Amino acid sequence: MSDEGQTGLESEHNNPRHIAIIMDGNGRWAQKRFMPRAMGHQSGVKAVREIVEYCAQQDIEVLTLFAFSSENWRRPQEEVSLLMNLFMGTLQREIEKLKNNNIRLRFIGDRSAFSESLQNMMAEGEALTRNNTALTLIIAVNYGGQWDLCQAFRKITEKILAGELSKEDINEQLINRYLSTAGLPEPDLFIRTGGEQRVSNFLLWQLAYTEMYFTDTLWPDFDRESLEDAIKSFKGRQRRFGHTGEQVLSRSVKFNF
Ligand code: IPE
Ligand code: IPE
Ligand code: MG
């Protein structure tokens, strides 16, 4: 790197390949405006559109958005139904646009809890965009990091019982292959909007070495400039993966994730 003032830390990585976001603060955004929480969720969809568009333009490979957690069923019934309807309506409206913009759509989470029509629409959205090659957009719905690990362990156990795997085969790579994020790069950058600093059962295993970024900005206000700030913060960090800073600077170490 020939840039004056370049410490070497910034140059270690460029854009994150995979950004994972907990989109939080819709309810408070609405409450601040004396509006029903529903309005916050609706405005949240607009923010999703802007962020997806931005990531596609910036050649981000994967964007994972936490839309509904396995714990969000605990909300009042009206809010849960509203979120389901909003989800279904948005999908219906946006699928064609995703298809035409070369965005590959995928869902992670336990779909069995959803209505048949919603499950069909999700499968259709995935099928229609399967061969797209720009951004992979992952929507986490009825997702929980603990659920993801449980479903992986269940499948691995089945294989062991069937004699197709042995317990010695269990290692980090194998578990990765059974998680719902199999085949995707690990998230490089985690963002949580809305001021809370917790993981709320999002990607637990996958966040092992992810850079964390928390902002007070409420999700409906999170725009491309806000994302640029987060990416700038990411680019200024030195990722060590257990090595020393000196090792990283001397570039004697090749990271493999
Ligand atoms: C995030 O916003 C959206 C979902 C969890 C579906 P919230 O609805 O959690 O907003 P706050 O945290 O109440 O402000
Ligand atoms: C996390 O937000 C889940 C989503 C954004 C979908 P919550 O608002 O549900 O998280 P907690 O319950 O405050 O931790
Ligand atoms: Mg919240």
Side-chain angles (χ1 to χ4, degrees):
M1 280 283 153
S2 55
D3 272 357
E4 279 296 319
Q6 181 76 270
T7 60
L9 308 186
E10 296 90 339
S11 60
E12 198 53 56
H13 41 75
N14 302 312
N15 265 349
R17 293 177 66 192
H18 182 172
I19 302 176
I21 308 182
I22 298 188
M23 311 182 286
D24 197 18
N26 292 352
R28 280 164 285 161
W29 183 92
Q31 279 157 354
K32 260 173 58 182
R33 288 165 177 75
F34 305 102
M35 298 195 297
R37 293 176 59 87
M39 298 300 286
H41 295 311
Q42 263 164 26
S43 299
V45 174
K46 285 194 201 125
V48 169
R49 230 178 265 128
E50 178 163 339
I51 294 309
V52 170
E53 221 167 79
Y54 179 82
C55 287
Q57 285 163 0
Q58 298 297 310
D59 294 327
I60 302 292
E61 283 174 52
V62 186
L63 172 66
T64 302
L65 299 176
F66 203 4
F68 191 88
S69 76
S70 43
E71 289 71 36
N72 285 145
W73 298 106
R74 297 172 184 160
R75 294 192 177 199
Q77 176 55 41
E78 314 86 77
E79 181 162 343
V80 170
S81 322
L82 179 127
L83 285 167
M84 290 300 141
N85 290 336
L86 191 63
F87 180 40
M88 190 124 115
T90 308
L91 254 182
Q92 237 160 2
R93 243 179 301 110
E94 306 288 330
I95 281 177
E96 209 47 37
K97 221 188 291 166
L98 295 177
K99 188 182 161 208
N100 298 332
N101 284 298
N102 200 18
I103 296 171
R104 183 165 69 128
L105 179 64
R106 267 179 62 173
F107 297 97
I108 56 171
D110 182 1
R111 311 178 184 205
S112 63
F114 296 132
S115 69
E116 208 179 305
S117 52
L118 187 48
Q119 287 188 49
N120 289 340
M121 204 179 293
M122 289 162 75
E124 197 187 319
E126 289 178 325
L128 275 171
T129 60
R130 179 171 296 141
N131 297 320
N132 285 353
T133 53
L135 175 72
T136 296
L137 171 62
I138 309 208
I139 309 287
V141 272
N142 193 19
Y143 181 86
Q146 292 176 340
W147 164 84
D148 204 358
L149 285 162
C150 287
Q151 66 80 31
F153 296 158
R154 234 176 273 130
K155 285 185 199 151
I156 293 169
T157 308
E158 274 166 21
K159 295 270 181 194
I160 292 175
L161 292 175
E164 294 167 33
L165 281 177
S166 73
K167 72 178 185 344
E168 286 71 31
D169 293 325
I170 298 181
N171 57 27
E172 290 86 342
Q173 289 73 31
L174 182 96
I175 292 174
N176 273 329
R177 286 206 297 276
Y178 284 86
L179 290 172
S180 57
T181 46
L184 300 165
E186 307 292 320
D188 300 297
L189 173 61
F190 162 98
I191 299 171
R192 182 170 187 146
T193 64
E196 313 298 348
Q197 302 198 355
R198 52 180 176 250
V199 178
S200 299
N201 198 15
F202 194 25
L203 305 160
L204 298 179
W205 171 278
Q206 296 89 335
L207 292 176
Y209 254 111
T210 305
E211 296 296 328
M212 314 295 269
Y213 181 88
F214 297 96
T215 170
D216 289 337
T217 303
L218 302 172
W219 176 251
D221 292 327
F222 194 82
D223 57 14
R224 53 177 59 220
E225 284 77 34
S226 320
L227 181 54
E228 274 167 2
D229 287 346
I231 293 175
K232 194 166 159 223
S233 161
F234 170 82
K235 285 183 173 176
R237 300 182 193 186
Q238 184 189 50
R239 301 185 82 187
R240 300 193 195 102
F241 298 102
H243 299 284
T244 67
E246 287 72 22
Q247 285 176 301
V248 175
L249 283 173
S250 73
R251 294 166 179 276
S252 59
V253 172
K254 291 266 175 291
F255 298 132
N256 55 10
F257 79 92

